Amino acid sequence: MKKIVCPICSDEGEFSFISKNHYEIYCCKNINCKHYFLPDPQKGQGIHLRNDDLTIESDKNLKEFGDRNKRLLKLFLKKIPRSKKYKFLDFGSGCAHISRTFKTSLKKKAKIYCLEANQKCRKFYPQWDLIPVNNLDAIEEKIDLVYMIEVIEHLKNPRETLLNLKKVMDKNSLLFLSTPPGYNDEKLTNAYDNPTHIHFFTPQSLNNLLTSIGFKKLSFGSFSEMYPLKRKQSIVKEIIYKFKVFVKKTLIKNKGKSIKKKYPFHLVGFTKLDI
């Protein structure tokens, strides 16, 4: 039988469960990693399909997330050094509703690059004054802020991607990451809902990846800016429900003993190069 190796720490992986999308999910046996992953993703499996008319999809997302995006921008601007002209990279930009909001707010004060694996998306970006790039080599300057929002779980080789990302970063550059967490129970996370997800990170595995290639540990946080205000109440209820399920099942496993674990709805945080 072929040995399954964890793509994050290179330790041995073992079968965990069959997901709702009928994928075999494996888990790293290293207790300091516990990364969940698909052992043999196919080419293009992580690419999210888009509406043929990206403007329709982008406009729809703006209606739901426009105000959220403005709050997210305020958060980012508090974290990065003030500049006469910001340089952003939207990594995995998709329909670019986030970058559209940023560009509308900052106008000429921001140059925003959009990198997207789905080639159909790139032709739409210039109409919103966003700069499409095919790869990181096309960017010939250092970026102030890179945001990878719900992207890293789609990457076939996140290690190689983040290594390449370092080319456009310096000691002042900031990287913002978010991803749904991996567990061996699908009820505790929405990570397994999307069939284009390849990796299901734990806090340990994500920081193992980052620190092994020269980034600082992610400073995980709970950011309300990630969620639209009109959905905040329902999201909170969902988090509470999932947390209760998680606690109940863990208590059963621990024969009723109290625990101090918390369920994160997303793994979210900032990091930078460790230099």
Side-chain angles (χ1 to χ4, degrees):
M1 181 180 290
K2 180 181 176 182
K3 182 179 179 181
I4 303 298
V5 176
C6 172
I8 302 303
C9 74
S10 299
D11 210 327
E12 186 177 358
E14 61 183 353
F15 172 76
S16 184
F17 66 96
I18 300 290
S19 75
K20 61 184 69 176
N21 291 308
H22 310 292
Y23 294 150
E24 291 187 353
I25 305 297
Y26 277 69
C27 178
C28 178
K29 295 172 73 173
N30 182 347
I31 60 172
N32 294 315
C33 181
K34 300 296 288 184
H35 184 69
Y36 293 87
F37 60 97
L38 300 186
D40 189 27
Q42 303 303 305
K43 183 178 180 181
Q45 187 171 345
I47 298 177
H48 186 72
L49 297 178
R50 297 289 174 183
N51 195 310
D52 289 337
D53 188 340
L54 199 69
T55 303
I56 293 176
E57 181 181 350
S58 189
D59 287 346
K60 181 180 178 181
N61 277 274
L62 271 179
K63 288 181 180 179
E64 182 174 5
F65 294 101
D67 290 336
R68 186 290 304 258
N69 295 344
K70 291 177 182 177
R71 291 164 44 236
L72 200 57
L73 177 59
K74 288 181 180 180
L75 172 67
F76 290 164
L77 294 179
K78 290 178 182 178
K79 296 287 186 177
I80 60 177
R82 188 182 296 272
S83 176
K84 291 183 179 180
K85 188 164 188 175
Y86 296 103
K87 297 176 288 291
F88 292 169
L89 170 59
D90 186 348
F91 196 106
S93 42
C95 68
H97 67 91
I98 296 174
S99 291
R100 283 181 66 187
T101 302
F102 291 1
K103 187 64 178 178
T104 299
S105 298
L106 295 173
K107 297 181 173 60
K108 292 184 179 181
K109 287 186 63 178
K111 181 189 288 188
I112 304 179
Y113 296 96
C114 290
L115 195 155
E116 169 60 42
N118 191 329
Q119 297 181 12
K120 293 181 180 180
C121 296
R122 297 172 192 160
K123 65 181 180 180
F124 289 95
Y125 299 149
Q127 66 178 292
W128 301 314
D129 202 18
L130 305 172
I131 305 170
V133 288
N134 296 332
N135 54 63
L136 291 169
D137 291 333
I139 302 175
E140 299 179 345
E141 57 186 339
K142 299 302 181 182
I143 299 298
D144 298 308
L145 171 70
V146 181
Y147 40 100
M148 298 177 67
I149 299 176
E150 311 300 288
V151 172
I152 197 169
E153 64 272 13
H154 294 269
L155 302 177
K156 185 174 182 179
N157 192 333
R159 178 178 297 276
E160 181 180 343
T161 298
L162 289 173
L163 276 170
N164 288 331
L165 191 60
K166 292 171 66 176
K167 298 176 184 178
V168 299
M169 298 179 67
D170 61 22
K171 64 180 182 179
N172 295 316
S173 303
L174 204 60
L175 170 61
F176 179 79
L177 282 170
S178 76
T179 186
Y183 289 102
N184 63 355
D185 187 340
E186 290 180 300
K187 293 179 181 178
L188 299 178
T189 176
N190 63 349
Y192 304 103
D193 294 354
N194 191 326
T196 63
H197 289 181
I198 294 171
H199 294 276
F200 313 94
F201 287 90
T202 63
Q204 300 95 317
S205 70
L206 187 51
N207 272 331
N208 284 345
L209 171 62
L210 290 168
T211 57
S212 69
I213 56 177
F215 284 90
K216 292 184 177 181
K217 284 187 176 182
L218 206 68
S219 53
F220 294 110
S222 177
F223 299 99
S224 62
E225 292 88 351
M226 279 288 295
Y227 309 107
L229 288 175
K230 65 181 181 180
R231 292 178 57 213
K232 185 176 180 181
Q233 186 176 3
S234 61
I235 288 173
V236 170
K237 285 182 178 179
E238 184 175 359
I239 293 173
I240 292 172
Y241 168 74
K242 290 183 177 181
F243 176 60
K244 286 180 178 178
V245 172
F246 174 65
V247 169
K248 183 178 180 180
K249 290 192 174 185
T250 309
L251 283 172
I252 291 173
K253 289 179 182 179
N254 288 276
K255 298 180 180 180
K257 294 180 180 179
S258 63
I259 57 169
K260 295 183 179 180
K261 293 184 178 180
K262 293 183 179 180
Y263 168 78
F265 192 67
H266 287 97
L267 300 180
V268 188
F270 293 90
T271 185
K272 55 172 52 180
L273 297 178
D274 192 9
I275 54 178

